[in-house]
Amino acid sequence: MITRRRLLESSLALSAMSCNCISFARSGGGTGDNRELLELSATKALELIRNGDLSSERYASSLLAQCNRNTALNAFIWLNQDGLLEAARALDKQRGTNHHAALSGLPIALKDNIDTKDAPTTGGTPALRGNQPRADAPVAASLFSAGALLLGKTNMHELAFGITSNNAAFGPVHNPYNSVMIPGGSSGGTAAAIAARMCPAGLGTDTGGSVRIPAALCGIVGLRTTAGRYSLEGIVPLSHTRDTVGPMARSIEDLALLDTVITGSSASIRPPSLKTLRLGVPRGYFYDNLDAELAPVVESALLRLREAGCVLVGADFADIEKLSAISGRLSFYECMADLSNYLSSHGSSLTATEVVRQIASPDVRELYDTYVLGPNAPTLEWYQHAIAFDRPALQAAYRAYFRNYNVAAMAFPTTALPARPIGQDIEVELNGNKVPTFLTYLRNARPVTSAGIPGLSIPIGLTTSGLPVGLELDAPEGQDRVLLGIGGAIENLFGRLPAPKVAYS
C-alpha cells in the first residue's frame, strides 16, 4: 500500500513537471479531494498505478464514491461495491509482479448485455434478471486477463432495442449534462457513467448506433468497430449481421488502449496532420433538417477543421437512404433466432418467446409486436435477397465513395438533434415539428451498420442549452486504427468537453 507521504512526494514531483499537476496527497473522501483522480483518463490512471504513484484501491474507492454520489443518474443495474475493492487490494499486495499487465488496476463498466461470470447479465429485460453466465464474454475476458477490474454492469435500453435508454424494467438512465434528458442508447448507462466521471472507460454494443448515439449525447468518444473485429460470443444479441461491441471513453487514446487489448493489434495509432487530411462531407442526407441549436455547432466545427488545413470534400452519398433501408429489417428478422441461440448456448430453460412476453418497455414491445412477430415482419425471401444483393450493394457504394473522392473518412453530425426529455419515446420535436424518436436519432448513425464498416463519434462542442454535440467519422472496412488516428488529430484540435456539473455538485 502506498503511504500518504509517498503520495505527497509523487504529487510534488508531478507538480514540478507540469502546471497541470495531479495531487493525491489529501486523504479525505469528499468530491473536492478526489476531483483530480476522477478526471484521470484510463491511460493516465494506469501510468500512475504502474509507477506506484497511485494505489489501485484508492482509485477504485474514488470511483465507487462517485458512483454512489450519482445514483440518481441510474447508470448501473449492478455495481460491484465489495468485489471491486477486494480485487484492487489484492493487486496492490502483489505490486511488482502483476502491475505490468496493460490494464492492471483499471475499473471498467460493461453494458449489461455483455456476459460476466461474476455478475448477472440481464440485457435490461425482466426475464433475464436471473441470467448468470458460466463464463465471461471473450471481449470482457480479454480485458480482465489484462488486469481490468469490473466496476459494474450498466443500464441500457431494454434488449438493446432503442435509443433513449428509458428502461421500464430498471428505470431510465439520465443524461449527466441535464438530468431530465435522455443519454441516448442503447448503451446509455455506459456513456452516462463515463461522462459523470464514475469510470474512465467501458464497453457498449452498437447495432443501429447504440455506442455512437449515447457517446454524442453524453459528450464522450465511442467507436463502432468493423463487423467481426470483436467477438460477439457471450453478448445478448439483436442482429448477428449488424451487432458490434464498441469501446467508450473520454479520450481517443483510451479507445485505442481498449482496442489494442481486445484485438491484440500491434498497429500504432498515428494522428495524421490535419493539413493532409481529406474528409468527405455528405450534405445531401446527413445534414438535412438539423436541430437549430445543433447545426451551428457542427458548422463551427467544420470551419475550424478547414482553418486547420483539413480538406473538406463536399461529396454527397448517392442513394444512401434507399441503400440503407434494409438496416432495421435485418434486425427484425434475425433477433428471435439470435436470442434463441444465446439462450440455448447458456443452457437456459427460457425460450425467446418467453423473454419477449415479459418485455416491460412499451416502445420495445411495440417493435416486437409489429415488426418482429406481427404483420410487418420481414419474410425469409426478403431476408435472403437483402443478404445476397442489397447489403453487398451498400458495401460497394461505401467503397466507391471513399475511393472516388479520395477521402480518409466521412464527417457528419452523429445525430440530427441533441438530447431530448426522458419519456418522449415515440415522438420528439425537431425544428417545430413532431418526428419519430427512434428513426430520427438513428438516421445518421444507421447506414454504416449494415455495411459493417467502422464509425467513431467525437464531441465537438455544446449547444447554447449546454448539451453535447458529436461529430461522426466513418472509415473504410478494417481501418479502425486509422480512424482512431484521425479522431486523435481532431480531438487535439477541439479538446475535450468540460465535465457536467453533476459530476462535482
Side-chain angles (χ1 to χ4, degrees):
M1 180 64 63
I2 296 177
T3 65
R4 176 184 171 91
R5 179 175 179 176
R6 185 173 177 185
L7 285 173
L8 178 59
E9 290 171 348
S10 299
S11 175
L12 292 173
L14 284 168
S15 178
M17 289 187 289
S18 171
C19 63
N20 208 9
C21 62
I22 303 168
S23 172
F24 305 123
R26 288 174 284 185
S27 59
T31 305
D33 293 341
N34 293 323
R35 182 165 183 165
E36 293 90 348
L37 283 177
L38 300 176
E39 285 295 332
L40 291 174
S41 67
T43 305
K44 184 61 178 178
L46 286 166
E47 177 187 334
L48 293 170
I49 292 171
R50 193 175 299 117
N51 292 341
D53 296 324
L54 174 64
S55 73
S56 299
E57 183 182 1
R58 172 71 190 281
Y59 188 48
S61 180
S62 295
L63 294 178
L64 280 173
Q66 183 73 347
C67 292
N68 289 322
R69 277 191 295 269
N70 287 278
T71 55
L73 293 178
N74 200 31
F76 288 90
I77 287 176
W78 179 85
L79 191 62
N80 193 15
Q81 296 271 17
D82 297 327
L84 175 62
L85 291 178
E86 182 179 347
R89 290 189 197 104
L91 281 178
D92 288 332
K93 289 178 181 178
Q94 299 167 16
R95 185 177 300 280
T97 61
N98 67 346
H99 274 60
H100 64 279
L103 302 180
S104 186
L106 181 72
I108 58 168
L110 300 181
K111 185 177 180 180
D112 202 17
N113 62 345
I114 300 173
D115 279 355
T116 48
K117 68 180 188 308
D118 295 328
T121 298
T122 71
T125 198
L128 296 181
R129 283 181 185 270
N131 176 36
Q132 182 60 65
R134 294 176 292 226
D136 296 319
V139 288
S142 62
L143 300 180
F144 297 149
S145 295
L149 307 177
L150 180 60
L151 173 62
K153 305 292 288 291
T154 53
N155 202 352
M156 55 184 284
H157 206 103
E158 188 168 357
L159 286 172
F161 228 142
I163 55 82
T164 66
S165 294
N166 184 15
N167 188 312
F170 294 94
V173 184
H174 298 257
N175 192 311
Y177 283 87
N178 186 332
S179 62
V180 304
M181 301 292 185
I182 63 170
S186 59
S187 308
T190 302
I194 293 169
R197 277 50 179 178
M198 299 185 209
C199 63
L203 295 183
T205 63
D206 189 310
T207 303
S210 290
V211 161
R212 292 159 293 144
I213 292 171
L217 269 55
C218 289
I220 65 169
V221 290
L223 173 68
R224 175 192 167 87
T225 52
T226 294
R229 183 174 175 83
Y230 294 178
S231 171
L232 292 177
E233 182 183 346
I235 311 293
V236 180
L238 191 54
S239 165
H240 65 265
T241 298
R242 300 174 65 212
D243 287 350
T244 59
V245 178
M248 306 172 77
R250 293 191 299 272
S251 75
I252 295 296
E253 185 178 29
D254 288 351
L255 292 188
L257 173 64
L258 295 187
D259 183 75
T260 297
V261 170
I262 292 172
T263 63
S265 174
S266 59
S268 60
I269 302 293
R270 297 178 180 176
S273 167
L274 291 178
K275 297 184 185 302
T276 62
L277 182 62
R278 290 173 57 88
L279 296 176
V281 181
R283 288 190 176 274
Y285 170 82
F286 296 94
Y287 288 76
D288 285 348
N289 194 29
L290 299 181
D291 174 81
E293 283 197 19
L294 179 142
V297 180
V298 175
E299 294 303 327
S300 176
L302 294 178
L303 178 60
R304 287 187 65 183
L305 285 169
R306 189 178 293 111
E307 291 175 343
C310 183
V311 177
L312 302 182
V313 181
D316 285 346
F317 197 133
D319 297 325
I320 185 60
E321 185 172 12
K322 178 181 178 181
L323 288 167
S324 63
I326 62 171
S327 298
R329 289 170 66 83
L330 285 176
S331 297
F332 297 149
Y333 186 85
E334 293 179 346
C335 64
M336 289 298 287
D338 288 352
L339 181 57
S340 292
N341 290 337
Y342 171 87
L343 295 170
S344 176
S345 69
H346 284 59
S348 175
S349 60
L350 286 169
T351 66
T353 300
E354 289 169 335
V355 172
V356 171
R357 189 180 299 129
Q358 296 182 50
I359 287 173
S361 304
D363 61 319
V364 180
R365 175 165 294 284
E366 174 66 18
L367 286 174
Y368 275 89
D369 288 346
T370 304
Y371 299 103
V372 176
L373 303 172
N376 295 332
T379 64
L380 172 61
E381 292 73 22
W382 176 90
Y383 177 74
Q384 291 174 331
H385 188 276
I387 292 296
F389 299 102
D390 298 334
R391 184 169 183 257
L394 175 63
Q395 293 171 318
Y398 268 105
R399 287 193 293 269
Y401 185 94
F402 295 120
R403 179 183 65 249
N404 294 343
Y405 297 111
N406 188 28
V407 293
M410 296 168 54
F412 51 87
T414 310
T415 61
L417 67 171
R420 287 290 190 259
I422 294 170
Q424 297 182 0
D425 299 305
I426 306 303
E427 289 185 328
V428 291
E429 182 274 330
L430 178 59
N431 295 327
N433 297 310
K434 293 291 185 180
V435 294
T437 303
F438 189 55
L439 294 178
T440 302
Y441 273 107
L442 285 176
R443 188 190 77 190
N444 285 3
R446 185 173 66 171
V448 72
T449 65
S450 292
I453 64 176
L456 172 70
S457 184
I458 183 168
I460 53 173
L462 299 170
T463 67
T464 55
S465 299
L467 296 172
V469 175
L471 184 73
E472 177 155 348
L473 303 164
D474 291 349
E477 180 181 4
Q479 295 294 299
D480 302 62
R481 305 287 281 186
V482 173
L483 181 58
L484 287 170
I486 294 170
I490 294 175
E491 180 183 71
N492 290 338
L493 177 65
F494 289 97
R496 300 173 197 168
L497 294 188
K501 292 180 181 178
V502 70
Y504 303 115
S505 58

